[in-house]
Amino acid sequence: MSDPSKIVPQKEISTCFHCGEDCKDEILHFDGKEFCCTGCQLVYEVLNENDLCNYYDIAENPGLSQKDMSRRDNRFDYLDDSDVIKKLIDFQNGAEIHITFNIPLIHCASCIWLLENLHKLHEGVVSGRVDFIKKKVQVKFLQDKISLKDLVKLLSRIGYEPTINLADTDKKQVQSIDKKLITKLAVAGFCFGNMMLFSLPEYFSEAELLGQGFKKTFNYLNVLLALPVFFYSATDYYRSAWLSVRNKAVNMDVPIAIGIVTLFTYSLYDIFMLGNEGYMDTLGGLLFFLLIGKYYQQKTYDTLSFDRDYKSYFPIAVTRFIKDEEEVIPLMKLNVGDIILVRNAELIPSDSILLDGEAFIDYSFVTGEEVPVAKKKGELIYAGGRQKGKAITLAVQKSPSQGYLTDLWNNESFDKDKNHGLESLANKISGKFTFTVLMIALISLSYWIWAGNTSLGVLAFTSVLIITCPCALAMSTPFTLGNTLRVFGQGKLYLKNAHVIEKLAKIDTVVFDKTGTLTAPSEAKVEYFGEPLSAETKSLIKAMVNQSTHALSNRINTWLNEIKAIHLQEEVEEITGKGLRTFYKSQEIKLGSAEFVNADKRELPKGGNLVFLAIEGFILGYFFIQSGLRKGIDELVSTVQTEKEVHFLSGDQDHERANLRRIFGDNIQMSFNQGPADKLQYIRSLNAADKQTLMVGDGLNDAGALRESKVGIAVTDKVTNFSPASDAIMDAAMLHKLPKFLDFTKTSRSIIKASFGLSFSYNTIGVFFAVQGLVSPVFCAILMPISSISVVLFTTLTTNYIAHKRGLKDKIW
């Protein structure tokens, strides 16, 4: 290990060998390489000692900065709890344990290589397997050689600390793709392939060369292969059709079920009574392609989690005091009356009373208020806030399951079915289509029976049902919507399912959350008014705000981006709710609120936050800070407003109302000081007025509103991070494309209607010949897959082409 004293003053900008960040404050030299902090150096030493430095050869500067990594020895003690272990692990036997960790820091090929070589770091690790897309790693380890706590410590030590929250202990992960669907698809595919093989002689009119015995044998084998297709692979369609008919409705699965039953029944009659070959191969192909369409639709959104509750937000452990000694316990074992310790940047796990310390609570994710709130001893602090500053001691008043944060999920909006009575376009058409087809088939049968040709009547009846079997009609909808889901996914708008597309097409009212959705901290507008700031003063301010995590300090820090901070001999003191204070050249420097520096509030600008600068009691000037709008937001709102009603909701004070009016105009309805319950009620009132609402929000305070709206889109800077329960997740960088996405949903409906027209044209031609008995079921069976393939190609090409032309897709393919 290196000598920590080998820290030399920085003379020129160097980059860290491990993470690639600039070594701004210090440079640590070890093994001929430079590091920005002891954490990065420690990771290198661990890898070097275990001959794993190939990690650095795969990618340049592959590591993540370790400057902010916490090193408390007891923070993983909760992983010794047997109840927690049982709920976290995937599998356990006498010797081996399997567990899956969520590791957001996975970002390159080197990360994958290192995590899949964990067995070289510890003999107790059997293997590691990385899922790069989901940022997860499955680790298998020997429980007698390494404990779960030691494994997590090992991952933390090399810079890949897992993210473990309370939701991980529930293990209520929904299987995105139904395994039964895959099994049914496999059965249909196997049977269809073999039936095609047995039918080859018939296709080439060579069946007579095999002899009558072989011909019948192949027909009987096709019947045997058709049994599992008919009685197993098609069961979902029977069930759906039966439920639809029982509820006095007709959905898309009713004509499909009729077609399947008719095809199977007539094939049995054709084989056993007439001695012909039947159409069992057509039956297998029909089910195989239908199930492929269903699987394709589900596969497009199987990697995202949309239904999230408060447990995804809570930590899994908390620090509790037992006889003045710290003990890390699972959150599930926290009781009312317990005394807990909450450190800087940690979450308040339950509603609690402040006993000791200065609380400076950031409620931005819960209420939307950007500026942290100061709390005094004896005041109640609600769950969901995050402490900013020194550690505080709290007395638990409510259990985590009964606190303010969890009340958001006790609302009925989270329990009801969000189907809002919207009926699928395909189901609307299929109802009339089914009755029309049955009527035509029955008329054909009756006519030929009346004409004295019952055999031809049965043939015409069957041909009509086979040729009008809505295979193309059924596949056009999932393939169009599936392609739309994929286009949206490439544009970083991830929809929960295809039904959301139909809902988006009917939206007439859009409600935006302001804080975090329309605004972004990186875009904040900072202006300085007062005495001109010298280069030294700017460097002094830079050094002060560098020591603070306050939102306003961060914005001033960004404003002084190019300024280099000076070295302060005195410590920077952060006074909760007031500001920063330090001493420089024997002078007192203050940076903070008007009350903190005794500034006169009269004749000051409105519409933003004010931060004053004072030296030895003399007010030099102040910073005027306004929330910065994301790029393109003004154009986004203007475009949406041309066709839809627009509302703004915010948990902030209304000091920026005038500025927002100036940017967006007077036609937008704005509501400030909106808590989570207020936002939910606001959406509910719009729905009561028959509005088709779209809620666009980002934080936990928007969770109720997102669920109550017809469609809820959660905006996030990283789609893998936490976002509230929603119908869609959208990358914040793509928010400016929202009008294009909304417009494209209407295009998808038009493509579906056009594909229906194409399908009906095939059916019309086929029916014309079928009712006259001019075509056999064989011809109808050949035309059916041709029409299906052409409809699928039409929907796929048209969807991709239009998406490309509108800038939602880089390439057509």
Side-chain angles (χ1 to χ4, degrees), residues 705-724:
L706 288 168
R707 289 288 290 176
E708 180 64 25
S709 59
K710 305 293 184 179
V711 179
I713 299 180
V715 177
T716 177
D717 290 307
K718 294 182 180 179
V719 295
T720 54
N721 286 357
F722 176 86
S723 58

Side-chain angles (χ1 to χ4, degrees), residues 422 488 499-508 643-644 692 711 741-750:
L422 181 67
F488 281 19
H499 295 298
V500 179
I501 298 172
E502 295 187 75
K503 294 179 183 180
L504 283 171
K506 292 190 173 186
I507 293 300
D508 57 24
E643 296 183 353
K644 298 172 175 61
Q692 298 295 322
V711 179
F741 287 123
L742 293 176
D743 186 57
F744 195 76
T745 58
K746 297 179 181 179
T747 301
S748 296
R749 289 173 64 91
S750 299

Side-chain angles (χ1 to χ4, degrees), residues 38 173 203 322 332 334 374 497 579 582 608 741 743 792:
T38 55
Q173 298 179 357
Y203 297 153
I322 299 292
M332 67 183 73
L334 185 65
N497 54 47
T582 190
F741 287 123
D743 186 57
V792 168

Side-chain angles (χ1 to χ4, degrees), residues 648-661:
F648 285 175
L649 297 180
S650 176
D652 286 344
Q653 304 297 321
D654 65 350
H655 53 249
E656 291 197 44
R657 184 188 295 271
N659 184 48
L660 293 173
R661 288 286 184 203

Side-chain angles (χ1 to χ4, degrees), residues 118-136:
L118 289 175
H119 58 280
K120 295 182 180 180
L121 290 175
H122 197 289
E123 61 179 358
V125 178
V126 177
S127 66
R129 181 165 182 168
V130 175
D131 184 334
F132 182 76
I133 299 297
K134 297 182 180 179
K135 308 294 184 185
K136 293 181 181 293

Side-chain angles (χ1 to χ4, degrees), residues 256-535:
I256 293 177
I258 293 176
I260 292 171
V261 172
T262 302
L263 195 60
F264 180 74
T265 304
Y266 184 80
S267 294
L268 290 177
Y269 172 79
D270 196 47
I271 292 171
F272 290 104
M273 301 301 294
L274 303 180
N276 296 324
E277 64 278 359
Y279 311 104
M280 294 302 185
D281 52 338
T282 302
L283 175 67
L286 173 65
L287 263 300
F288 180 64
F289 289 115
L290 283 174
L291 293 173
I292 283 180
K294 182 179 289 189
Y295 175 82
Y296 174 84
Q297 181 177 330
Q298 289 190 14
K299 189 66 178 177
T300 53
Y301 52 87
D302 65 346
T303 59
L304 291 174
S305 175
F306 292 85
D307 297 309
R308 305 181 180 189
D309 61 11
Y310 71 95
K311 294 181 181 179
S312 301
Y313 185 46
F314 269 13
I316 195 174
V318 66
T319 303
R320 180 175 65 180
F321 282 115
I322 299 292
K323 296 181 180 179
D324 296 329
E325 292 186 2
E326 293 183 17
E327 176 188 28
V328 179
I329 62 169
L331 188 63
M332 67 183 73
K333 295 188 176 181
L334 185 65
N335 299 314
V336 175
D338 285 345
I339 308 300
I340 60 174
L341 180 70
V342 176
R343 297 178 174 84
N344 179 44
E346 288 186 345
L347 188 82
I348 310 298
S350 61
D351 295 355
S352 307
I353 296 293
L354 179 61
L355 298 181
D356 188 34
E358 294 182 329
F360 200 35
I361 309 300
D362 176 10
Y363 278 119
S364 59
F365 199 54
V366 178
T367 65
E369 176 60 62
E370 292 184 283
V371 180
V373 179
K375 292 289 184 179
K376 298 179 181 179
K377 183 176 180 180
E379 288 189 318
L380 178 66
I381 300 178
Y382 292 108
R386 196 175 296 276
Q387 164 66 355
K388 295 290 186 179
K390 298 179 181 178
I392 56 176
T393 304
L394 303 170
V396 176
Q397 297 298 297
K398 293 182 180 180
S399 66
S401 62
Q402 297 175 335
Y404 169 75
L405 188 63
T406 57
D407 283 344
L408 291 174
W409 276 268
N410 293 333
N411 193 282
E412 60 182 12
S413 297
F414 289 85
D415 299 324
K416 67 186 182 67
D417 180 13
K418 290 200 64 183
N419 189 15
H420 297 294
L422 181 67
E423 186 180 9
S424 168
L425 176 64
N427 288 342
K428 288 180 180 179
I429 295 177
S430 66
K432 298 177 182 178
F433 175 80
T434 302
F435 289 119
T436 303
V437 168
L438 288 173
M439 184 177 66
I440 293 173
L442 289 172
I443 290 174
S444 301
L445 177 63
S446 301
Y447 171 79
W448 287 112
I449 292 176
W450 176 78
N453 195 338
T454 303
S455 177
L456 188 59
V458 172
L459 187 66
F461 175 80
T462 308
S463 297
V464 169
L465 286 177
I466 290 175
I467 203 167
T468 56
C469 182
C471 182
L473 187 67
M475 294 180 72
S476 62
T477 300
F479 270 81
T480 301
L481 297 181
N483 270 292
T484 302
L485 286 173
R486 196 170 294 276
V487 167
F488 281 19
Q490 290 176 351
K492 297 183 179 180
L493 172 59
Y494 305 93
L495 304 185
K496 185 176 183 178
N497 54 47
H499 295 298
V500 179
I501 298 172
E502 295 187 75
K503 294 179 183 180
L504 283 171
K506 292 190 173 186
I507 293 300
D508 57 24
T509 303
V510 181
V511 183
F512 289 101
D513 167 62
K514 183 182 79 72
T515 308
T517 304
L518 298 179
T519 63
S522 60
E523 301 295 333
K525 183 180 179 181
V526 180
E527 294 181 276
Y528 174 77
F529 298 92
E531 297 291 332
L533 298 176
S534 65

